[in-house]
Amino acid sequence: MASLTRHLIIGIMSVVLAAPAALADKSEKRRVEILEMRQEVMERLYRDRPETRLEVQNSVGYAVFSNVGVNVVFVSGGGGKGVAKNQITGEETFMRMGTVGLGLGLGIKDFRAIFVFHDQKAFNDFVEEGWDFSGEADAAANSGDKGGELSGASTLSKKVNVYQYNKAGLALQATLRGTKYWQDKKLNKSNNGR
């Protein structure tokens, strides 16, 4: 009986001690998936719009997100994940996003969004406070190079450019209505002790 109790205690302790490692492995796997997605999206952006490479290099930071949304009759919703990189410090912050909307439609929308920040406060606000576009209209695409803004970039302000890809390629406008962005505390907590 003592042997059975000892084996049971050892078994329980093994599970308890292994659980944090399993969670850490899962978080690390999710971080790697997000970083690989970012790499693929940025390579596609640079291939389609070579001029954006210099824009990103000269920015204070950028963020890349992957989102899948579902539209069923009158209601749409979706969620995604991404990462924001501070070009000054090199720090990466893993983030989440969610969308919700109303409107007639049916289907699935899979898109990628790239935010390029030209202002430190705009970047910090995005990362620290998150953004909520629930009350704002879609960001309209620019036509041609005007005022230093790039063709194909949707501009939220002179401080932020947004590029959005869908299945057809670079979208003419970034649809941000009903979208909220926030930090992924789980991934950041286990990422370098944050």
Side-chain angles (χ1 to χ4, degrees):
M1 186 66 149
S3 176
L4 179 62
T5 303
R6 186 173 11 163
H7 288 301
L8 185 60
I9 290 172
I10 291 171
I12 290 171
M13 292 201 48
S14 297
V15 169
V16 168
L17 294 174
L23 290 175
D25 287 345
K26 184 177 179 183
S27 292
E28 183 59 26
K29 181 180 177 189
R30 287 181 60 208
R31 281 192 294 274
V32 167
E33 289 171 355
I34 292 168
L35 294 174
E36 287 173 352
M37 176 273 303
R38 175 183 69 186
Q39 183 68 28
E40 291 170 13
V41 171
M42 294 306 290
E43 286 173 5
R44 183 175 180 192
L45 178 66
Y46 295 153
R47 183 181 64 244
D48 293 348
R49 302 273 184 194
E51 67 275 14
T52 60
R53 185 180 299 272
L54 188 58
E55 178 192 6
V56 171
Q57 287 173 351
N58 292 329
S59 71
V60 298
Y62 67 97
V64 181
F65 288 87
S66 169
N67 181 55
V68 175
V70 177
N71 193 347
V72 180
V73 188
F74 293 109
V75 180
S76 63
K81 55 193 172 193
V83 61
K85 181 171 183 175
N86 184 321
Q87 295 279 75
I88 311 298
T89 66
E91 182 178 10
E92 295 177 325
T93 304
F94 292 90
M95 300 184 72
R96 311 260 341 214
M97 67 179 289
T99 61
V100 65
L102 299 173
L104 189 60
L106 187 63
I108 297 174
K109 183 178 182 184
D110 184 0
F111 72 88
R112 308 292 178 265
I114 304 112
F115 293 82
V116 182
F117 297 89
H118 304 289
D119 177 81
Q120 190 67 53
K121 182 177 180 338
F123 178 81
N124 291 346
D125 287 349
F126 180 79
V127 171
E128 298 301 325
E129 306 297 325
W131 278 1
D132 185 350
F133 292 105
S134 59
E136 298 193 23
D138 296 346
N142 298 320
S143 56
D145 291 342
K146 296 181 181 174
E149 296 169 352
L150 299 170
S151 175
S154 298
T155 305
L156 299 178
S157 70
K158 292 186 184 227
K159 301 173 183 179
V160 185
N161 282 349
V162 181
Y163 300 89
Q164 183 173 312
Y165 279 99
N166 56 33
K167 287 184 180 181
L170 194 61
L172 292 179
Q173 70 181 38
T175 307
L176 302 173
R177 184 176 298 152
T179 305
K180 174 140 179 74
Y181 298 85
W182 68 94
Q183 288 191 25
D184 187 327
K185 294 187 190 288
K186 287 181 186 176
L187 293 187
N188 291 319
K189 180 179 177 184
S190 55
N191 184 33
N192 297 324
R194 285 199 286 175

PDB file of all heavy atoms in Angstrom, residues 148-169:
ATOM      1  N   GLY A 148       4.464  62.090 -49.934  1.00  0.00           N
ATOM      2  CA  GLY A 148       5.345  61.075 -49.388  1.00  0.00           C
ATOM      3  C   GLY A 148       4.641  59.786 -49.021  1.00  0.00           C
ATOM      4  O   GLY A 148       5.269  58.866 -48.544  1.00  0.00           O
ATOM      5  N   GLU A 149       3.336  59.723 -49.205  1.00  0.00           N
ATOM      6  CA  GLU A 149       2.618  58.503 -48.887  1.00  0.00           C
ATOM      7  C   GLU A 149       2.697  57.560 -50.073  1.00  0.00           C
ATOM      8  O   GLU A 149       2.749  57.970 -51.217  1.00  0.00           O
ATOM      9  CB  GLU A 149       1.165  58.826 -48.542  1.00  0.00           C
ATOM     10  CG  GLU A 149       1.069  59.686 -47.288  1.00  0.00           C
ATOM     11  CD  GLU A 149      -0.313  60.230 -47.069  1.00  0.00           C
ATOM     12  OE1 GLU A 149      -1.175  60.085 -47.943  1.00  0.00           O
ATOM     13  OE2 GLU A 149      -0.531  60.812 -46.007  1.00  0.00           O
ATOM     14  N   LEU A 150       2.721  56.274 -49.806  1.00  0.00           N
ATOM     15  CA  LEU A 150       2.925  55.286 -50.854  1.00  0.00           C
ATOM     16  C   LEU A 150       1.622  54.814 -51.466  1.00  0.00           C
ATOM     17  O   LEU A 150       0.624  54.644 -50.778  1.00  0.00           O
ATOM     18  CB  LEU A 150       3.674  54.079 -50.273  1.00  0.00           C
ATOM     19  CG  LEU A 150       5.053  54.381 -49.725  1.00  0.00           C
ATOM     20  CD1 LEU A 150       5.574  53.179 -48.961  1.00  0.00           C
ATOM     21  CD2 LEU A 150       5.998  54.749 -50.846  1.00  0.00           C
ATOM     22  N   SER A 151       1.647  54.582 -52.759  1.00  0.00           N
ATOM     23  CA  SER A 151       0.496  54.031 -53.444  1.00  0.00           C
ATOM     24  C   SER A 151       0.186  52.658 -52.863  1.00  0.00           C
ATOM     25  O   SER A 151       1.077  51.846 -52.660  1.00  0.00           O
ATOM     26  CB  SER A 151       0.809  53.909 -54.934  1.00  0.00           C
ATOM     27  OG  SER A 151      -0.233  53.274 -55.598  1.00  0.00           O
ATOM     28  N   GLY A 152      -1.067  52.404 -52.586  1.00  0.00           N
ATOM     29  CA  GLY A 152      -1.462  51.121 -52.028  1.00  0.00           C
ATOM     30  C   GLY A 152      -1.503  51.125 -50.515  1.00  0.00           C
ATOM     31  O   GLY A 152      -1.977  50.190 -49.904  1.00  0.00           O
ATOM     32  N   ALA A 153      -1.012  52.197 -49.904  1.00  0.00           N
ATOM     33  CA  ALA A 153      -1.036  52.285 -48.447  1.00  0.00           C
ATOM     34  C   ALA A 153      -2.299  53.006 -48.017  1.00  0.00           C
ATOM     35  O   ALA A 153      -2.628  54.050 -48.555  1.00  0.00           O
ATOM     36  CB  ALA A 153       0.179  53.042 -47.926  1.00  0.00           C
ATOM     37  N   SER A 154      -2.990  52.457 -47.063  1.00  0.00           N
ATOM     38  CA  SER A 154      -4.096  53.162 -46.441  1.00  0.00           C
ATOM     39  C   SER A 154      -3.487  53.951 -45.305  1.00  0.00           C
ATOM     40  O   SER A 154      -2.626  53.452 -44.586  1.00  0.00           O
ATOM     41  CB  SER A 154      -5.124  52.175 -45.915  1.00  0.00           C
ATOM     42  OG  SER A 154      -5.654  51.422 -46.983  1.00  0.00           O
ATOM     43  N   THR A 155      -3.899  55.175 -45.138  1.00  0.00           N
ATOM     44  CA  THR A 155      -3.283  56.038 -44.142  1.00  0.00           C
ATOM     45  C   THR A 155      -4.284  56.362 -43.052  1.00  0.00           C
ATOM     46  O   THR A 155      -5.340  56.916 -43.328  1.00  0.00           O
ATOM     47  CB  THR A 155      -2.785  57.341 -44.805  1.00  0.00           C
ATOM     48  OG1 THR A 155      -1.927  56.983 -45.882  1.00  0.00           O
ATOM     49  CG2 THR A 155      -2.038  58.201 -43.825  1.00  0.00           C
ATOM     50  N   LEU A 156      -3.965  55.997 -41.825  1.00  0.00           N
ATOM     51  CA  LEU A 156      -4.820  56.352 -40.700  1.00  0.00           C
ATOM     52  C   LEU A 156      -4.554  57.794 -40.312  1.00  0.00           C
ATOM     53  O   LEU A 156      -5.431  58.507 -39.877  1.00  0.00           O
ATOM     54  CB  LEU A 156      -4.535  55.439 -39.505  1.00  0.00           C
ATOM     55  CG  LEU A 156      -4.788  53.964 -39.757  1.00  0.00           C
ATOM     56  CD1 LEU A 156      -4.434  53.157 -38.532  1.00  0.00           C
ATOM     57  CD2 LEU A 156      -6.222  53.729 -40.150  1.00  0.00           C
ATOM     58  N   SER A 157      -3.318  58.202 -40.431  1.00  0.00           N
ATOM     59  CA  SER A 157      -2.878  59.571 -40.220  1.00  0.00           C
ATOM     60  C   SER A 157      -1.508  59.634 -40.878  1.00  0.00           C
ATOM     61  O   SER A 157      -1.045  58.648 -41.431  1.00  0.00           O
ATOM     62  CB  SER A 157      -2.773  59.875 -38.720  1.00  0.00           C
ATOM     63  OG  SER A 157      -1.687  59.168 -38.159  1.00  0.00           O
ATOM     64  N   LYS A 158      -0.866  60.777 -40.817  1.00  0.00           N
ATOM     65  CA  LYS A 158       0.476  60.858 -41.395  1.00  0.00           C
ATOM     66  C   LYS A 158       1.459  60.032 -40.574  1.00  0.00           C
ATOM     67  O   LYS A 158       2.591  59.846 -40.963  1.00  0.00           O
ATOM     68  CB  LYS A 158       0.926  62.309 -41.478  1.00  0.00           C
ATOM     69  CG  LYS A 158       0.121  63.086 -42.492  1.00  0.00           C
ATOM     70  CD  LYS A 158       0.646  64.463 -42.672  1.00  0.00           C
ATOM     71  CE  LYS A 158      -0.282  65.190 -43.621  1.00  0.00           C
ATOM     72  NZ  LYS A 158       0.363  65.888 -44.658  1.00  0.00           N
ATOM     73  N   LYS A 159       1.006  59.526 -39.449  1.00  0.00           N
ATOM     74  CA  LYS A 159       1.870  58.779 -38.543  1.00  0.00           C
ATOM     75  C   LYS A 159       1.844  57.271 -38.764  1.00  0.00           C
ATOM     76  O   LYS A 159       2.710  56.564 -38.282  1.00  0.00           O
ATOM     77  CB  LYS A 159       1.474  59.089 -37.099  1.00  0.00           C
ATOM     78  CG  LYS A 159       1.588  60.556 -36.765  1.00  0.00           C
ATOM     79  CD  LYS A 159       1.035  60.849 -35.400  1.00  0.00           C
ATOM     80  CE  LYS A 159       1.102  62.353 -35.140  1.00  0.00           C
ATOM     81  NZ  LYS A 159       0.548  62.694 -33.838  1.00  0.00           N
ATOM     82  N   VAL A 160       0.816  56.772 -39.480  1.00  0.00           N
ATOM     83  CA  VAL A 160       0.651  55.328 -39.642  1.00  0.00           C
ATOM     84  C   VAL A 160       0.149  55.003 -41.044  1.00  0.00           C
ATOM     85  O   VAL A 160      -0.844  55.574 -41.487  1.00  0.00           O
ATOM     86  CB  VAL A 160      -0.358  54.752 -38.616  1.00  0.00           C
ATOM     87  CG1 VAL A 160      -0.429  53.231 -38.727  1.00  0.00           C
ATOM     88  CG2 VAL A 160      -0.016  55.171 -37.201  1.00  0.00           C
ATOM     89  N   ASN A 161       0.819  54.077 -41.716  1.00  0.00           N
ATOM     90  CA  ASN A 161       0.332  53.521 -42.983  1.00  0.00           C
ATOM     91  C   ASN A 161      -0.097  52.087 -42.733  1.00  0.00           C
ATOM     92  O   ASN A 161       0.524  51.385 -41.926  1.00  0.00           O
ATOM     93  CB  ASN A 161       1.409  53.534 -44.066  1.00  0.00           C
ATOM     94  CG  ASN A 161       1.612  54.903 -44.674  1.00  0.00           C
ATOM     95  OD1 ASN A 161       0.829  55.817 -44.455  1.00  0.00           O
ATOM     96  ND2 ASN A 161       2.672  55.050 -45.425  1.00  0.00           N
ATOM     97  N   VAL A 162      -1.132  51.649 -43.433  1.00  0.00           N
ATOM     98  CA  VAL A 162      -1.646  50.291 -43.279  1.00  0.00           C
ATOM     99  C   VAL A 162      -1.718  49.633 -44.652  1.00  0.00           C
ATOM    100  O   VAL A 162      -2.219  50.227 -45.604  1.00  0.00           O
ATOM    101  CB  VAL A 162      -3.062  50.284 -42.648  1.00  0.00           C
ATOM    102  CG1 VAL A 162      -3.551  48.850 -42.473  1.00  0.00           C
ATOM    103  CG2 VAL A 162      -3.082  51.027 -41.335  1.00  0.00           C
ATOM    104  N   TYR A 163      -1.211  48.415 -44.724  1.00  0.00           N
ATOM    105  CA  TYR A 163      -1.320  47.597 -45.931  1.00  0.00           C
ATOM    106  C   TYR A 163      -2.135  46.375 -45.558  1.00  0.00           C
ATOM    107  O   TYR A 163      -1.932  45.805 -44.483  1.00  0.00           O
ATOM    108  CB  TYR A 163       0.068  47.162 -46.429  1.00  0.00           C
ATOM    109  CG  TYR A 163       0.953  48.326 -46.772  1.00  0.00           C
ATOM    110  CD1 TYR A 163       1.767  48.914 -45.813  1.00  0.00           C
ATOM    111  CD2 TYR A 163       0.954  48.845 -48.062  1.00  0.00           C
ATOM    112  CE1 TYR A 163       2.568  49.989 -46.130  1.00  0.00           C
ATOM    113  CE2 TYR A 163       1.760  49.927 -48.384  1.00  0.00           C
ATOM    114  CZ  TYR A 163       2.569  50.493 -47.413  1.00  0.00           C
ATOM    115  OH  TYR A 163       3.359  51.570 -47.728  1.00  0.00           O
ATOM    116  N   GLN A 164      -3.043  45.983 -46.422  1.00  0.00           N
ATOM    117  CA  GLN A 164      -3.871  44.812 -46.126  1.00  0.00           C
ATOM    118  C   GLN A 164      -3.910  43.904 -47.344  1.00  0.00           C
ATOM    119  O   GLN A 164      -4.156  44.359 -48.450  1.00  0.00           O
ATOM    120  CB  GLN A 164      -5.284  45.252 -45.758  1.00  0.00           C
ATOM    121  CG  GLN A 164      -6.179  44.086 -45.377  1.00  0.00           C
ATOM    122  CD  GLN A 164      -7.513  44.567 -44.860  1.00  0.00           C
ATOM    123  OE1 GLN A 164      -7.579  45.440 -44.019  1.00  0.00           O
ATOM    124  NE2 GLN A 164      -8.578  43.992 -45.375  1.00  0.00           N
ATOM    125  N   TYR A 165      -3.648  42.628 -47.102  1.00  0.00           N
ATOM    126  CA  TYR A 165      -3.719  41.626 -48.151  1.00  0.00           C
ATOM    127  C   TYR A 165      -4.944  40.753 -47.952  1.00  0.00           C
ATOM    128  O   TYR A 165      -5.297  40.416 -46.831  1.00  0.00           O
ATOM    129  CB  TYR A 165      -2.497  40.692 -48.094  1.00  0.00           C
ATOM    130  CG  TYR A 165      -1.273  41.269 -48.734  1.00  0.00           C
ATOM    131  CD1 TYR A 165      -0.290  41.868 -47.970  1.00  0.00           C
ATOM    132  CD2 TYR A 165      -1.089  41.196 -50.102  1.00  0.00           C
ATOM    133  CE1 TYR A 165       0.847  42.395 -48.552  1.00  0.00           C
ATOM    134  CE2 TYR A 165       0.040  41.719 -50.695  1.00  0.00           C
ATOM    135  CZ  TYR A 165       1.011  42.314 -49.922  1.00  0.00           C
ATOM    136  OH  TYR A 165       2.121  42.835 -50.510  1.00  0.00           O
ATOM    137  N   ASN A 166      -5.567  40.400 -49.069  1.00  0.00           N
ATOM    138  CA  ASN A 166      -6.574  39.356 -49.058  1.00  0.00           C
ATOM    139  C   ASN A 166      -6.163  38.347 -50.128  1.00  0.00           C
ATOM    140  O   ASN A 166      -5.057  38.431 -50.655  1.00  0.00           O
ATOM    141  CB  ASN A 166      -7.977  39.937 -49.288  1.00  0.00           C
ATOM    142  CG  ASN A 166      -8.061  40.738 -50.569  1.00  0.00           C
ATOM    143  OD1 ASN A 166      -7.394  40.428 -51.561  1.00  0.00           O
ATOM    144  ND2 ASN A 166      -8.867  41.787 -50.558  1.00  0.00           N
ATOM    145  N   LYS A 167      -7.014  37.422 -50.465  1.00  0.00           N
ATOM    146  CA  LYS A 167      -6.649  36.396 -51.449  1.00  0.00           C
ATOM    147  C   LYS A 167      -6.248  36.982 -52.796  1.00  0.00           C
ATOM    148  O   LYS A 167      -5.412  36.451 -53.491  1.00  0.00           O
ATOM    149  CB  LYS A 167      -7.798  35.412 -51.647  1.00  0.00           C
ATOM    150  CG  LYS A 167      -7.974  34.485 -50.490  1.00  0.00           C
ATOM    151  CD  LYS A 167      -9.067  33.478 -50.779  1.00  0.00           C
ATOM    152  CE  LYS A 167      -9.226  32.540 -49.607  1.00  0.00           C
ATOM    153  NZ  LYS A 167     -10.255  31.539 -49.854  1.00  0.00           N
ATOM    154  N   ALA A 168      -6.844  38.126 -53.154  1.00  0.00           N
ATOM    155  CA  ALA A 168      -6.568  38.730 -54.456  1.00  0.00           C
ATOM    156  C   ALA A 168      -5.272  39.542 -54.456  1.00  0.00           C
ATOM    157  O   ALA A 168      -4.836  39.984 -55.496  1.00  0.00           O
ATOM    158  CB  ALA A 168      -7.735  39.618 -54.866  1.00  0.00           C
ATOM    159  N   GLY A 169      -4.675  39.756 -53.303  1.00  0.00           N
ATOM    160  CA  GLY A 169      -3.458  40.554 -53.240  1.00  0.00           C
ATOM    161  C   GLY A 169      -3.655  41.767 -52.361  1.00  0.00           C
ATOM    162  O   GLY A 169      -4.497  41.776 -51.469  1.00  0.00           O
TER     163      GLY A 169
END
